[in-house]
Amino acid sequence: MKIFIGGSRKLKNFGKLDDKFISLFYNDYICPEYKFIVGDANGADKVFQKILNDKSIKDVTVYFSKKHGKRNKLNNKWKEISVKSHRIMPTDFDERHVKDYQMVIDANMGIMYWNPHYINRFDKDSISKGSILNIYNLLISNKKCILFDENTKNTIEMNKLNDLLDYLKKFYPNDFNKLNKIFHKECENFSEYKHSLKNDLNDSAQLSLFF
């Protein structure tokens, strides 16, 4: 079982994960049957890496943007995968987010640690979208995800898209319409990436005919 673990870059508790969540993670998921894939960002990714390294977990793969290079990889013995954008002129967000698409594809399930709101660089309240988009993509791929909400302290197992939508409607009604619009666009973006992978496979197959 391969688990995509990730979460928000901005965390409330001085860059630490909630004790309740850590206890759950240790008890339920630190065992030989699980393999972990994780990003290289600061915040939750880096904290997850530290937890896995402290527990001497060996079966870990770190994903990073080929353009930006590795930001964090706490154990040099872990495997690594670089992912490049499928777009001709990608934005910085495209380059960073595309590795999340690949982790969704490669994983069997996900665990996301979400801090819903943070203060952005313009000193304004902003909703954290990356972790929620990962949950969305896992669910539309028929892969379950465990959500830990740093704000409500809720731990929710989500198995279908309506689980996510119902949760957001209940606890974040003021953000729901904005997120729902983002989901529609995200569905197109994720489909575009998956389609690009199929094209790459087809091109490789065609090329192999000449050798």
Side-chain angles (χ1 to χ4, degrees):
M1 173 71 73
K2 192 176 290 186
I3 305 177
F4 172 12
I5 52 175
S8 301
R9 284 181 293 167
K10 303 288 186 180
L11 303 175
K12 287 183 178 180
N13 190 24
F14 302 101
K16 298 179 181 178
L17 303 187
D18 184 89
D19 288 341
K20 176 184 173 183
F21 171 80
I22 289 177
S23 178
L24 177 146
F25 186 68
Y26 282 168
N27 292 334
D28 293 355
Y29 296 101
I30 298 297
C31 54
E33 65 188 274
Y34 294 122
K35 303 175 182 179
F36 297 96
I37 58 179
V38 62
D40 67 328
N42 292 319
D45 285 359
K46 189 174 181 179
V47 179
F48 271 124
Q49 286 195 30
K50 185 177 186 310
I51 290 170
L52 296 174
N53 193 45
D54 289 348
K55 289 291 183 180
S56 301
I57 304 300
K58 296 178 181 179
D59 210 331
V60 179
T61 305
V62 177
Y63 287 61
F64 61 95
S65 159
K66 188 170 185 178
K67 179 180 178 181
H68 294 109
K70 289 190 299 291
R71 288 172 289 183
N72 295 292
K73 183 186 175 189
L74 299 188
N75 188 323
N76 289 328
K77 294 182 180 179
W78 289 343
K79 298 183 286 292
E80 61 183 54
I81 292 178
S82 67
V83 185
K84 67 176 182 178
S85 176
H86 55 292
R87 291 178 171 164
I88 296 173
M89 298 182 66
T91 64
D92 278 350
F93 179 80
D94 290 335
E95 291 285 0
R96 290 193 303 269
H97 197 45
V98 74
K99 73 177 188 298
D100 292 341
Y101 291 155
Q102 191 60 52
M103 285 191 278
V104 168
I105 291 168
D106 292 347
N108 302 110
M109 65 168 286
I111 299 174
M112 291 293 139
Y113 187 98
W114 185 44
N115 174 23
H117 286 267
Y118 68 98
I119 302 301
N120 65 23
R121 59 194 176 97
F122 302 109
D123 205 31
K124 293 184 178 180
D125 181 74
S126 183
I127 189 160
S128 176
K129 299 183 289 290
S131 301
I132 285 295
L133 292 180
N134 290 337
I135 296 170
Y136 173 84
N137 287 326
L138 284 161
L139 294 175
I140 65 172
S141 303
N142 297 314
K143 299 176 182 182
K144 79 172 182 179
C145 187
I146 308 299
L147 163 66
F148 182 84
D149 183 336
E150 192 176 46
N151 180 45
T152 64
K153 308 302 181 186
N154 288 327
T155 302
I156 307 293
E157 180 178 314
M158 297 181 172
N159 292 285
K160 55 185 186 297
L161 182 56
N162 278 344
D163 294 339
L164 174 61
L165 300 179
D166 290 344
Y167 184 84
L168 294 173
K169 284 178 188 176
K170 180 177 180 179
F171 291 99
Y172 301 98
N174 294 333
D175 299 312
F176 180 77
N177 287 336
K178 180 179 180 180
L179 286 170
N180 207 28
K181 289 179 182 177
I182 294 171
F183 290 155
H184 287 296
K185 182 64 178 175
E186 180 69 1
C187 187
E188 295 176 11
N189 292 339
F190 189 36
S191 295
E192 180 186 312
Y193 177 72
K194 290 187 288 185
H195 185 68
S196 75
L197 296 180
K198 291 179 182 178
N199 286 341
D200 288 345
L201 286 173
N202 290 336
D203 290 345
S204 298
Q206 295 261 339
L207 191 60
S208 68
L209 295 175
F210 296 96
F211 293 93

